Each structure stands twice: as C-alpha cells, then as structure tokens.
Amino acid sequence: MNNRWFCLTAVLCAGLTLSSCHKDLTDDAEEDSNKVILRYTIPAVVDFDKSIYNMRWLLYDSQGHYVRELDMQPRHRQTFELADMPDGQYTVINVGNTTDRTFFEHMESLDSLQLWANTRDEGGWYENVDCIYWQMRTFTLSDNGVTRVDMPLANSHCHLHVHVWWKGLPGRSGLWTMRLYDVSVNYYAGRQGQNIATLDHPLLGEATGEHRITVEPLNFELDGEFVVFRWTDSHVPKLQIWCNDEAASPLIDLGKVFGEWHWSPDRTVAQDYYLDVQINDDGSADVSTWGRGRIADWVDGGVIGN
C-alpha cells in the first residue's frame, strides 16, 4: 500500500462562529489520493502564533486502541506520514499547548485516556495549568480519494482575572495569596463532553483540587490571574483572599455570583472572566465585574459574607 500523508493547514478564525473559518483548500492534495487533510482552527480573534505553542496528535484505531503519536517533520512541520497504515476508521486527538504542567495518563485506549493538571505542590495546592486547546475527530483512511478533516480547536481552559482593593486599608501585611476551591483537575481527553456553539469539548473528570497563586501588593491593591481547566454551570469554584495563614476575605461563592449575573460557562466558548473584589471595613466583600483595561461594567454581585 502506498504511503499516506497527513497535511496540516492552520487557519485563523476571524470570529466566534466556526462557519466563518471555512476555507477551500486547493493544494496538491487533489493530485494525491493518499492524503488526509487535517485542518485546525481556533474560535477567537487572536494571533494564532501567540495562542498555540505546540501540538500533540494521538492516533487511535477503529476499536479505540492507541496506535501512536504523530510526529511533526523538521522540514515539513505541517505534514505527517502514515506509512503502510491499513484502510479503515481512525480517531485523532489533537491537544495544543501541553508542557510539563499537564500530563497524559492511560493512553492505551480512547475511553481511558486522561489529561491531568501536573502543578500540585508539596502542600497539595495546584498552580496555574497550561492554556489547553483540544479536539477529536474520526475519519476513514482509504485509497478512494482525498479526505479532509476539520479540527476546530476547543478552548479547554479558563482564565480568571481578580483585582482586589480595600475600602479602607488592608490592616495586615505579609505573603498574599488568592485561592480557588473545588476546581476540576482532569479531562477524559478521548471522550466528548459539552458541545458549545457547535464546538465539541473534552469531558471533564471527577477529580478536583485547590488552586493557589501568590500575588504582590501594589498601592494596597492586588492583581492575580488563574489559569485552570474549564468550568461548567454546575461546577463554579469558590474564591478567597489570604494573607499569610489567615483569610483576608470571606469565602466568595462564584457560582452564586455567576447565577446573579446570568453568566453561563456552559454557553461560553472562551472562558475569560474579570472580577473586582472590594473588601469592606467590616470584613464583607462586594464583587463586581470589569473588562480589559479595567473599564468597569459594575454588575453588582452584592455583599458576600462578613
């Protein structure tokens, strides 16, 4: 059997609607009946080169058994060779931006394949994870013509930007941390989970953990950014600010706040949230939202705790 080639074409999506990314490929594949075109896109108005740093491609057969990982060629980074692969159905898992901050487990089958956060420290706290993009597609390999496979990458991570300030003064000093509780830390990377705006996402696993980031005070204010796995409407973490070993804010139930604002992670393609937390003199906290450049929308989240 002739060698098959995977040709990979990067297309920058100009909006959130994936149909707007369609591009007719008119390369040499028409003359080679042994080619499979994998076309990947991202659903955001961003610079592709600044969003995707690396790609991993895991290939599985029709029974869901692991075949091998596809390696990019040094001189042909958009081409893969599948030498002497038999005709049949295959599934490819595409994951972008993995580093040593995430790892695969149980790669032997699609059903068991998992992607885990790998940032847990000796104290049990998780640091920020990779900005993961993911997609899986099934295709049929044959000599009957060119097969094109669209790989619209799902934004499989969540950014939470938090700005904290005090109505008066903090009243304490030391090591400041922001903490998120009950955060998902694994995906079933070989299974489809939610479909959002026609875009498939990986199935979230059951494991959870606590994330912690260290922040430096500036003019009695704190700014921090969490990068974690995606949230769902039924699973939104809780947030708290700490100084040394003492809580400096009430425990803020972000699920309640999101519900009051009608924010739905289940309907959000790219989860990128901005929160403003004002800590009052009596220890309570007011939560509002702000945008990039700190232009406040001031959607009042109400007073949380005391």
Side-chain angles (χ1 to χ4, degrees), residues 63-274:
Q63 303 301 313
H65 299 145
Y66 178 70
V67 177
R68 65 184 175 91
E69 183 167 353
L70 305 179
D71 295 321
M72 288 187 177
Q73 305 298 316
R75 295 184 60 186
H76 303 284
R77 296 180 61 83
Q78 294 181 327
T79 302
F80 300 114
E81 181 181 4
L82 293 184
D84 302 320
M85 293 293 294
D87 292 349
Q89 182 174 283
Y90 294 88
T91 297
V92 63
I93 306 294
N94 181 6
V95 181
N97 293 349
T98 58
T99 69
D100 59 2
R101 305 183 75 81
T102 49
F103 70 95
F104 288 105
E105 188 177 53
H106 304 305
M107 294 175 59
E108 63 272 11
S109 74
L110 281 173
D111 284 341
S112 63
L113 176 65
Q114 295 186 51
L115 180 68
W116 284 85
N118 192 35
T119 60
R120 189 177 182 182
D121 63 22
E122 294 181 354
W125 293 93
Y126 285 86
E127 298 176 1
N128 284 345
V129 301
D130 295 323
C131 296
I132 294 297
Y133 290 83
W134 172 95
Q135 195 50 261
M136 66 180 293
R137 283 292 185 267
T138 298
F139 62 92
T140 300
L141 192 63
S142 71
D143 290 328
N144 296 328
V146 175
T147 301
R148 287 179 169 83
V149 184
D150 285 333
M151 302 287 294
L153 297 178
N155 189 318
S156 301
H157 59 277
C158 173
H159 292 270
L160 176 66
H161 309 261
V162 182
H163 174 67
V164 179
W165 58 287
W166 281 260
K167 193 171 183 179
L169 292 174
R172 49 173 64 86
S173 62
L175 178 65
W176 290 92
T177 58
M178 296 181 180
R179 305 182 182 189
L180 275 181
Y181 299 93
D182 197 27
V183 183
S184 294
V185 294
N186 73 314
Y187 285 114
Y188 288 103
R191 304 189 205 175
Q192 178 183 330
Q194 292 181 321
N195 183 282
I196 303 172
T198 73
L199 189 65
D200 294 333
H201 287 72
L203 180 64
L204 278 168
E206 300 85 3
T208 61
E210 284 69 49
H211 280 248
R212 180 176 65 181
I213 58 175
T214 300
V215 290
E216 295 291 336
L218 179 63
N219 296 327
F220 303 110
E221 298 183 358
L222 305 173
D223 283 285
E225 179 184 2
F226 291 94
V227 182
V228 298
F229 287 166
R230 282 184 65 90
W231 302 352
T232 65
D233 286 355
S234 60
H235 197 137
V236 178
K238 295 178 174 62
L239 170 69
Q240 195 165 39
I241 313 303
W242 283 66
C243 183
N244 300 319
D245 295 324
E246 183 180 0
S249 80
L251 185 63
I252 301 171
D253 186 346
L254 296 182
K256 180 180 178 182
V257 172
F258 276 36
E260 292 178 355
W261 294 347
H262 305 291
W263 283 9
S264 173
D266 288 352
R267 297 196 301 269
T268 305
V269 173
Q271 295 181 351
D272 197 9
Y273 303 117
Y274 291 75

